Amino acid sequence: KRRTRASIAKEKGLQPLADIIWGQKLIGTPEEAAKAFVDSGQGVDTVLDAINGAMDILAEQFSDDADLRKLLREETIKCGAIVSKKTKNEPSVYEMYYDYTEKVKYIKPHRILAVNRAEKEDVITVKIDVNDEKIIEFLEKKNIKNNDSFCAHYIKEAIEDSYKRLIFPSVQREIRSDLTLKAMDSAIDNFGKNLESLLLTPPMKEKVVLAFDPGF
């Protein structure tokens, strides 16, 4: 596994501090708890460094929750929209996608392929748009046991960071990859039907044609 901000924080011995904050049962403040991890000889110079490292660990823990990712993926597919914006003002065959929005669950396969081509040619930018505030609020309600805890503020920051920096970009890539695969399968199926229809078209109208198997 590649080194991440969280893995670096763990190397500095900050996992116990992350556990303390996550436990939300701290009598004092997280800053007071963080003092024990400063100047430990592992590169933690200030209380802020310790707190930030602990939040990096918590952010990665949220990101690694498979059930949570599945839930957010389903919510994004259900409520999200594909949004494309132009990057150039010049005319193009992709002009209809210069300012385009369509629900993820309704977008047609041929539009997915067209959007992908336009993005690849740097004509447009593409993203999935969702109600971030609603999702972050849901995550906070699910994970914060005590809003009055000194730790609640830091857990909220870790949740927002995890969602925006780690979870959503990954979920967005997964969804777009799945949409592309389904669109390609649909295109191949349509091309196959069109080719079959073409090959079964009589070569001469109202004439019977006898063919020889060239391998016979």
Side-chain angles (χ1 to χ4, degrees):
K1 192 174 182 180
R2 66 186 179 85
R3 288 182 86 226
T4 61
R5 280 162 50 172
S7 65
I8 292 169
K10 287 176 183 177
E11 289 168 9
K12 293 179 178 180
L14 295 172
Q15 180 68 59
L17 179 59
D19 294 339
I20 290 169
I21 294 173
W22 175 240
Q24 302 173 56
K25 294 178 181 177
L26 198 60
I27 296 173
T29 65
E31 288 83 0
E32 289 170 354
K35 287 178 183 176
F37 298 87
V38 177
D39 296 328
S40 58
Q42 299 194 62
V44 182
D45 298 323
T46 65
V47 167
L48 184 60
D49 287 342
I51 293 285
N52 286 340
M55 288 199 295
D56 285 339
I57 292 171
L58 291 177
E60 190 169 276
Q61 284 178 194
F62 292 130
S63 174
D64 288 342
D65 186 331
D67 292 334
L68 182 61
R69 276 178 171 269
K70 182 183 177 186
L71 194 66
L72 293 181
R73 178 188 169 98
E74 289 170 353
E75 182 67 18
T76 303
I77 292 172
K78 179 183 172 184
C79 303
I82 296 285
V83 177
S84 62
K85 299 288 183 183
K86 65 180 179 180
T87 58
K88 301 174 181 177
N89 288 320
E90 55 198 61
S92 164
V93 293
Y94 303 112
E95 278 185 53
M96 73 168 286
Y97 299 109
Y98 277 6
D99 188 10
Y100 184 79
T101 302
E102 187 171 359
K103 285 280 189 182
V104 171
K105 60 183 177 181
Y106 295 135
I107 194 163
K108 299 295 183 186
H110 68 274
R111 289 202 189 107
I112 286 289
L113 295 178
V115 162
N116 288 353
R117 286 195 300 272
E119 183 183 36
K120 191 174 181 180
E121 293 175 23
D122 293 326
V123 175
I124 60 172
T125 59
V126 184
K127 68 173 184 176
I128 296 179
D129 191 29
V130 291
N131 189 335
D132 293 330
E133 290 181 7
K134 178 184 172 185
I135 292 175
I136 290 171
E137 186 180 335
F138 165 77
L139 293 175
E140 289 175 355
K141 286 180 180 177
K142 189 174 186 300
N143 291 287
I144 296 175
K145 304 165 191 170
N146 180 10
N147 270 307
D148 296 325
S149 165
F150 287 118
C151 301
H153 166 71
Y154 290 111
I155 293 174
K156 285 180 180 180
E157 281 193 23
I159 286 171
E160 185 173 348
D161 175 48
S162 179
Y163 174 73
K164 291 183 176 179
R165 179 170 59 89
L166 301 172
I167 301 174
F168 183 69
S170 175
V171 167
Q172 179 175 228
R173 284 192 300 272
E174 288 174 16
I175 292 173
R176 288 198 61 194
S177 178
D178 285 351
L179 288 173
T180 298
L181 287 173
K182 288 175 183 175
M184 291 170 72
D185 285 344
S186 175
I188 290 168
D189 185 52
N190 286 332
F191 294 149
K193 287 175 181 174
N194 291 340
L195 178 59
E196 181 183 32
S197 176
L198 180 64
L199 293 174
L200 292 176
T201 302
M204 291 189 290
K205 191 175 180 181
E206 298 176 355
K207 298 288 182 182
V208 177
V209 177
L210 180 67
F212 289 95
D213 179 355
F216 187 51

